Every structure is written in structure tokens, then in C-alpha cells.
């Protein structure tokens, strides 16, 4: 006997679980199906983000940053420590506890909002009168029927051809988050977000980390000035980069992993490491979804085809998050989930792609919103730039972390903020002010005229806004 719902959500990551909660808030009968299992085989909702992404990576970044501070920076504060040690098993255990707290939190939220949770794999069975039948294969096999289906099945790590993940020596994000002991030599392929965050964790704990990147330049999506400053800082910390690397072979048959590649000059090189993280992007996941049963359209890369409103080619079927176009970010998935639930309710949910912030949680942190200088130039937009270094900010000096700057880009004529780019301490938190400002179509002068607490890092934001008009006060 099929169970009837108004909305069935397939996938319980940030796109899916948030869509389910919002739909329930709007008065719908909602089911959410998620297949992720914890180490005891129980449900672990939250998707990539909670289990092997945003949350565990930030837990390890925090632990390793504490170690780095204790090892190299406490001395500046007059604190000396003897016999400093890192217990990697404990660090990973703490990370697992943080993950579990988040899994449990989502199960609690489902109960609170009366979302029916089904632990198992959801797949399209067939279209039926007025909706769709979804089969759930899990601890119990069920059939659900709903007029509206939201697909939020996320993404998986992309493997290098000829080098499948074994999660022992060739690691995806999953294996990279549960390395049991500090590898003496760690290789990373791809100097994107995961490569930088995971490379930083293990570099801080003592690994010699080499990152091989195919592109000739660093962090092409970031503002060039920010990328340059960040690269300088990472190299100073000891991360080694090889740009323009063309990987020809990954051999894991011996004790470690040997990577053969041609460098930017075309010279053949080999790199021998104990473990290799491959972080070269992610692919949309529709494994087991059975889209053919209902004729759900995928593109040539395997993504579900949607319009600007996350509508698929099928009436009543929507898709959000990593499985569709757009940046693969948890907050983008969440925004789409909320908007779709509201659209199902006849409301006008909206996601503003122009103000989605990006954050890389390295040290220094990197965060931006809006367009970069190179994009504005390419778009032929006349702009003014203003930059303020953390070196001239009192709070940053007190923290002992003066790397980087805040940079504003504003329209040359109207002064409207077009982009804000930050490299430095707590950039992840500072960027929110810029997002709010851009949502409200603020000018640089608006920010320059707002009172910011002293001493705070946010004064660097105000000063960068002042710099657009060439009138910084502290620099
Ligand atoms: P997912 O989180 O992938 O969730 C999909 C869920 O659907 C999974 O639980 C999966 O098991 C389930 N599922 C799939 N198919 C089925 C099926 N047929 N039936 C039932 N269940 C199914 N983003 C940020 O914004 N900030 C960060 O700091 C950040 N850090 C990251 C760090 C790492 C190491 C990685 C890998 C990613 C990180 N991301 C970060 C990206 C972020 O994790 C994703 O953008 C986000 O998880 C996408 O959410 P989603 O709901 O679309 O998919
Ligand atoms: P990415 O797209 O950020 O970076 C991939 C890098 O690998 C690029 O620099 C690319 O040029 C390089 N590359 C691709 N093929 C290569 C090859 N064959 N050899 C060498 N280099 C190659 O992808 P990544 O790091 O895997 O992360 C996936 C996604 O997860 C990110 O794009 C982001 O959306 C999300 N994420 C977000 C985080 C955050 O918001 N802080 C943290 C981690 C991941």
C-alpha cells in the first residue's frame, strides 16, 4: 500500500532536508528519503555536507589550526609548551562526534516539523495519476506517492581516469577526512577548495604536502589580487605547488603512491607520496534514482536539467543543490530548497546567484561575493577599487594575524558595490556584511558611513569602502 504525501524529497543533504522542513512549515505532508548510513548502519542525514564535507572538514581545520598555533605562535604570547603532541585518533574522534551531533540534529528537526523520514534509497517507480510513485529500498521497503517530488541527490568526488579511489592510499574527500596518522608525504591533485583545505590540515600536522594543479594559475575563480596574496601565504607556510601539471600515471601498487606527470615546461617528473588526495571537482549523483522510469532529463554531464526556478522537464518534479547547475555549495543548495518549497506553495521563492558568497576556510581565510576585477574588466564595466590591509587594523595586530586585505569594487558612476574580496582572518564571517550590502544595493559610501565597532576586523571592511573614495583614515 502506497503512502501518500504532498511532497517527497529524495536526498537529505542541505538541499533536501531544508526543502523538506520548509515544505512542512508551509503546511504540506512531507517525506524525506535519505540513504546515508553511519558506521552502525543507522541513518545519518545531512548528506555530503554533514558527513564528509563542510562540517567534518571544518572540525579538522579547527583542530589542526589549534595545533599550528600551539606549535608556532603561542611563543609570541609568552606561552611555552613542552612535549606538544598531536593525537590524530582523538582529533578524528572529535570530528566524528561533531558529525553525529549534526546528524541527530537533523533527525530532531524532522520530528519537530513533522517530516516523515525514510532511511533508504529512493527511486522513481512510475508516473501515476496526479503525481509520481517513489520506491524506497532500505531497512523496510516502502512505496510513496506524491504530486511534488524534489530531487536533492547531491554529488560524488570525481576520480582521475585510471586511478579509482581505494580510500586507503588514493583518497576522495571521504578518505581524506579519516586519515588515521599523519602521512610523512601527502600528494594532492587539484589546488581547488578541497585541495587547499585538506592540504592545510595535514601540512599543519606535519605532512610534507605537494599539490599538483593542471591549470597554469592559482584559484582562477577568485580575484587575482586575492589569489596572489593567498598563494604567497600558503607557500610561506610550506605548501608546495606545481602548476600546469599534466598527470600521466598514478601507481599505487607499491607501498605508497607514485604520480608521474609533465610539469609546465613539459618535463617528465615523478612524485612519491604516502597518500594521495584527488580533489579535481565533483560529479552530479543520480545513481539509483532511476530517472528513466519517468523520463527525467539529464544533461551530458549527468546533471538534472532545470530552469532558473529548479523545475525539471517533468511537471511537479524539481531538483536542487549539487545535482543541478550552479556552484556546488551547501548554502546554494539550501536557498534552492527553500525557494522550491515556496514555489510549490504558490509563493515566489527567489535565489540571487549574484550574491552567493564563497569561502575557503584556510589560514588566511578567503571569502568573496560578487564579481572579481578580472570579470569586471572582461564585462567592460567601469569600476573603482578600494583596498585596506589587515596590517593596518588594530584588532588584527592584537590577534597576531595581519595577513591579507579587504578589497571593494564599486561602480565608477553609481558607487554601487559590485564585489567584495577578502583574504585574511575571519574572512568567512566578515563577508556577511558585504552580502547584506549587495542584497540591499548599497554603495561603497553606505558602508563607509556606517559605524563599525572598534577594535574589530570589520573596521577593515569600512576602511576598504573608504578606500574606494581614496580617503582611508588609518592607512
Ligand atoms: P548532498 O549533501 O550530497 O546530499 C545528497 C544526499 O542524498 C546524500 O545524503 C545522499 O546519500 C542522498 N542520496 C543520493 N541519492 C539518493 C537516493 N537515490 N535515495 C536516497 N538518498 C539519496 N560547501 C559549502 O558551502 N561550505 C563548505 O565549507 C563546504 N565544504 C566542503 C568540504 C568538502 C570536503 C566537500 C566534499 C564539499 C564541501 N562543500 C561545502 C560542498 C557541500 O558539501 C555541497 O555543496 C552540499 O553538500 C550539496 O548539498 P546537496 O543537498 O545538494 O547534496
Ligand atoms: P574545485 O573545482 O574547487 O577544484 C578542482 C581543481 O582541480 C581545479 O583547480 C582544477 O583546475 C583542478 N584539476 C581538475 N582536473 C585536474 C587534473 N586532471 N589534474 C590536476 N588538477 C586538476 O574542486 P574540489 O576541490 O574537488 O571541490 C569540489 C567542490 O566542493 C568545490 O568546487 C566546492 O563547490 C565544494 N567545496 C566547497 C568548500 C567551501 O565552500 N569551503 C570546501 C570544499 C569543497
Amino acid at each position: 500500500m502506497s503512502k501518500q504525501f504532498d511532497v517527497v524529497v529524495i536526498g537529505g543533504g542541505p538541499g533536501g532536508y531544508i526543502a523538506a522542513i520548509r515544505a512542512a512549515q508551509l503546511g504540506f505532508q512531507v517525506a524525506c528519503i535519505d540513504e546515508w548510513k553511519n558506521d552502525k548502519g543507522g541513518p545519518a542525514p545531512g548528506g555530503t555536507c554533514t558527513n564528509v564535507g563542510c562540517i567534518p572538514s571544518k572540525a579538522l581545520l579547527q583542530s589542526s589550526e589549534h595545533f599550528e598555533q600551539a606549535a608556532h605562535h603561542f611563543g609570541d604570547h609568552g606561552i611555552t609548551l613542552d612535549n606538544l603532541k598531536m593525537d590524530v585518533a582523538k582529533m578524528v574522534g572529535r570530528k566524528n562526534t561533531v558529525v553525529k551531533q549534526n546528524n541527530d540534529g537533523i533527525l530532531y528537526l524532522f520530528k519537530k516539523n513533522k517530516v516523515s523520514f525514510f532511511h533508504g534509497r529512493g527511486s522513481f517507480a512510475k508516473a501515476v495519476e496526479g503525481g509520481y510513485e517513489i520506491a524506497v529500498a532500505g531497512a523496510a521497503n516502502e512505496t510513496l506517492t506524491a504530486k511534488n517530488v524534489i530531487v536533492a541527490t547531491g554529488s560524488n568526488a570525481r576520480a582521475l581516469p585510471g586511478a579509482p579511489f581505494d580510500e586507503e592510499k588514493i583518497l576522495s574527500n571521504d578518505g581524506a577526512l579519516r586519515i588515521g596518522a599523519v602521512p610523512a608525504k601527502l600528494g594532492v591533485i587539484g589546488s581547488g577548495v578541497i585541495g587547499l583545505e585538506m592540504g592545510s590540515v595535514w601540512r599543519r600536522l606535519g605532512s610534507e604536502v605537494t599539490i599538483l594543479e593542471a591549470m597554469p594559475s592559482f584559484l582562477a575563480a577568485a580575484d587575482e589580487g586575492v589569489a596572489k596574496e593567498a598563494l604567497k601565504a600558503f607557500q610561506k607556510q610550506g605548501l608546495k605547488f606545481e602548476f600546469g601539471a599534466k598527470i600521466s600515471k598514478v601507481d599505487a601498487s607499491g607501498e605508497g603512491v607514485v604520480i608521474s606527470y609533465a610539469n609546465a615546461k613539459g618535463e617528465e617528473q615523478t612524485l612519491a607520496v604516502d597518500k594521495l588526495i584527488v580533489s579535481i571537482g565533483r560529479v552530479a549523483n543520480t545513481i539509483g534514482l532511476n530517472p528513466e522510469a519517468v523520463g527525467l532529463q539529464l544533461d551530458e554531464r549527468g546533471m538534472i536539467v532545470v530552469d532558473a526556478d529548479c523545475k525539471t522537464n517533468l511537471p511537479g518534479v524539481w531538483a536542487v543543490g549539487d545535482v543541478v547547475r550552479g556552484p556546488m555549495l551547501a548554502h546554494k543548495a539550501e536557498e534552492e530548497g527553500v525557494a522550491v518549497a515556496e514555489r510549490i506553495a504558490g509563493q515566489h521563492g527567489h535565489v540571487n546567484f549574484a550574491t552567493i558568497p564563497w569561502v575557503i576556510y584556510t589560514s588566511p581565510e578567503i571569502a568573496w561575493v560578487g564579481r572579481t576585477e578580472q570579470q569586471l574588466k572582461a564585462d567592460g564595466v567601469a569600476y573603482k577599487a578600494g583596498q585596506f590591509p589587515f596590517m593596518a587594523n588594530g584588532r588584527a595586530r592584537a590577534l597576531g594575524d595581519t595577513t591579507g586585505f579587504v578589497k571593494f569594487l564599486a561602480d565608477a558612476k553609481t558607487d554601487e558595490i559590485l564585489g567584495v574580496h577578502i583574504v585574511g582572518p575571519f574572512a568567512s564571517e566578515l563577508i556577511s556584511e558585504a552580502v547584506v550590502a549587495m542584497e540591499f544595493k548599497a554603495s561603497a559610501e553606505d558602508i563607509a558611513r556606517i559605524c563599525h565597532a572598534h577594535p574589530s576586523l570589520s573596521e577593515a571592511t569600512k576602511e576598504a569602502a573608504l578606500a574606494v573614495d581614496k580617503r582611508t583614515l588609518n592607512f
Side-chain angles (χ1 to χ4, degrees):
M1 182 61 191
S2 176
K3 292 183 174 156
Q4 186 75 38
F5 291 91
D6 299 317
V7 181
V8 167
V9 182
I10 307 177
Y17 91 79
I18 290 292
I21 290 173
R22 184 69 189 119
Q25 285 176 346
L26 289 162
F28 293 115
Q29 294 292 318
V30 184
C32 182
I33 311 165
D34 188 82
E35 64 178 342
W36 207 292
K37 290 188 179 118
N38 62 25
D39 53 4
K40 296 187 181 67
T48 301
C49 168
T50 302
N51 293 294
V52 291
C54 324
I55 301 299
S57 60
K58 268 78 252 179
L60 295 188
L61 279 157
Q62 190 62 53
S63 300
S64 59
E65 181 60 18
H66 283 321
F67 183 76
E68 170 107 339
Q69 289 293 325
H72 303 293
H73 304 291
F74 273 16
D76 300 341
H77 298 263
I79 305 166
T80 30
L81 290 168
D82 293 327
N83 289 327
L84 184 68
K85 281 197 196 86
M86 187 69 214
D87 183 340
V88 173
K90 192 155 183 185
M91 172 183 80
V92 173
R94 173 187 175 274
K95 178 265 296 179
N96 293 341
T97 305
V98 174
V99 167
K100 185 162 186 319
Q101 285 165 347
N102 282 272
N103 297 141
D104 292 347
I106 295 167
L107 290 171
Y108 162 78
L109 290 170
F110 281 158
K111 271 209 186 97
K112 183 184 159 202
N113 289 284
K114 301 195 172 46
V115 172
S116 302
F117 175 68
F118 293 87
H119 188 212
R121 173 168 285 186
S123 59
F124 283 102
K126 57 182 181 210
V128 290
E129 173 98 28
Y132 300 87
E133 203 172 274
I134 308 294
V136 185
N141 292 334
E142 312 257 5
T143 307
L144 318 181
T145 311
K147 185 176 170 205
N148 298 284
V149 180
I150 304 175
V151 181
T153 46
S155 64
N156 292 319
R158 181 195 305 279
L160 259 182
F165 297 118
D166 59 18
E167 304 299 1
E168 281 299 320
K169 287 192 285 181
I170 302 179
L171 314 173
S172 71
N173 55 297
D174 182 5
L177 288 159
R178 48 189 171 83
I179 297 176
V182 180
K185 288 187 181 206
L186 175 69
V188 178
I189 300 188
S191 69
V193 198
I194 295 179
L196 292 174
E197 291 188 355
M198 289 296 99
S200 292
V201 166
W202 297 103
R203 197 273 309 150
R204 290 169 189 168
L205 301 181
S207 293
E208 187 184 316
V209 179
T210 307
I211 304 183
L212 303 178
E213 166 60 50
M215 299 290 282
S217 61
F218 179 59
L219 271 187
D223 186 86
E224 270 170 15
V226 164
K228 203 169 149 205
E229 180 81 2
L231 180 60
K232 207 168 63 184
F234 296 145
Q235 284 174 328
K236 200 169 151 202
Q237 290 163 6
L239 281 178
K240 289 190 191 141
F241 293 87
E242 178 92 77
F243 294 106
K246 203 162 176 257
I247 316 287
S248 50
K249 193 172 165 206
V250 175
D251 180 1
S253 60
E255 248 192 26
V257 185
V258 180
I259 305 116
S260 307
Y261 66 97
N263 66 14
K265 292 184 200 143
E267 298 158 346
E268 289 302 322
Q269 308 282 324
T270 54
L271 173 71
V273 293
D274 301 300
K275 290 188 188 286
L276 177 69
I277 296 174
V278 177
S279 46
I280 55 169
R282 297 178 65 79
V283 284
N285 172 35
T286 51
I287 298 167
L289 183 65
N290 201 19
E292 306 81 21
V294 288
L296 180 63
Q297 196 188 341
L298 309 187
D299 69 13
E300 62 288 349
R301 289 177 303 160
M303 288 193 157
I304 296 177
V305 177
V306 287
D307 67 9
D309 287 345
C310 293
K311 275 190 186 138
T312 69
N313 64 314
L314 301 174
V317 180
W318 311 72
V320 302
D322 280 12
V323 77
V324 304
R325 85 282 172 270
M328 289 186 168
L329 295 173
H331 41 286
K332 175 265 193 183
E334 291 182 12
E335 291 299 301
E336 287 184 332
V338 167
V340 163
E342 292 177 351
R343 286 170 195 142
I344 291 172
Q347 298 182 1
H348 300 280
H350 178 64
V351 181
N352 185 359
F353 274 73
T355 55
I356 294 175
W358 275 87
V359 177
I360 307 178
Y361 294 80
T362 42
S363 178
E365 290 188 345
I366 300 166
W368 72 88
V369 58
R371 282 184 279 177
T372 60
E373 269 202 69
Q374 59 269 27
Q375 281 169 335
L376 290 173
K377 279 180 192 149
D379 294 347
V381 178
Y383 67 92
K384 299 175 285 181
Q387 189 165 314
F388 188 83
F390 284 108
M391 187 69 86
N393 173 273
R395 184 73 192 281
R397 285 196 208 113
L399 281 175
D401 191 354
T402 52
T403 314
F405 54 79
V406 181
K407 174 168 162 180
F408 266 63
L409 302 173
D411 188 279
K413 244 197 216 138
T414 65
D415 197 38
E416 182 180 341
I417 303 166
L418 302 174
V420 176
H421 304 271
I422 309 177
V423 52
F426 295 100
S428 56
E429 301 296 332
L430 294 172
I431 199 67
S432 296
E433 181 181 5
V435 177
V436 173
M438 285 185 65
E439 275 291 346
F440 283 85
K441 303 247 173 250
S443 62
E445 186 177 350
D446 287 329
I447 298 298
R449 284 184 180 276
I450 291 172
C451 179
H452 288 67
H454 176 77
S456 72
L457 297 170
S458 72
E459 287 172 291
T461 307
K462 177 188 170 113
E463 290 273 8
L466 279 165
V468 170
D469 199 30
K470 298 194 172 39
R471 53 188 181 93
T472 51
L473 297 164
N474 285 286
F475 185 63

